[in-house]
Amino acid sequence: MNSSAAIHIVSPDEFDRGTAQTPGSERRAAITPALGIASAMWGGVFEVEPGKRTGIHHHGEQETIAYVLSGICEVRWGAKGESVARAKAGDFIHVPAFLPHREINPSKLKPFRWIVVRSTATPIVVNLPNDTWS
């Protein structure tokens, strides 16, 4: 057992808003080296406001697992963004490494919020040009 190991509790007012971002959304880091937490993984929250969509992006070598905390989201991916799936509160989402995708909030009234865990300690966000799927 590691005698220097400790449990960390990170409250919402402590989340790091300085984490990597994609236009149209907001990520807030909770489990990250920037908050003094040494971990092999990254964890945080992700939100898209009503009627908004993210830019097209991928997460490099990272795999992403997300739990939809609230709202409904549409996720698009594929060579031209032709594949689509909808997720609602209570669903889990798996995004493979290097897969270009975008999230869309079809609601005009409510944001959607995810709890996100990534497979490396520092988030990787590669924002792609808007015409990637043209």
Side-chain angles (χ1 to χ4, degrees), residues 9-17 28-30 35:
I9 307 296
V10 183
S11 298
D13 61 337
E14 299 172 288
F15 292 174
D16 179 13
R17 293 176 184 264
R28 295 180 298 273
L35 294 177

Side-chain angles (χ1 to χ4, degrees), residues 24-28 45-50 54 111-114:
S25 63
E26 183 179 23
R27 293 182 185 92
R28 295 180 298 273
V45 294
F46 176 72
E47 183 173 313
V48 174
E49 291 297 325
T54 69
F112 73 73
R113 293 183 181 97
W114 296 358

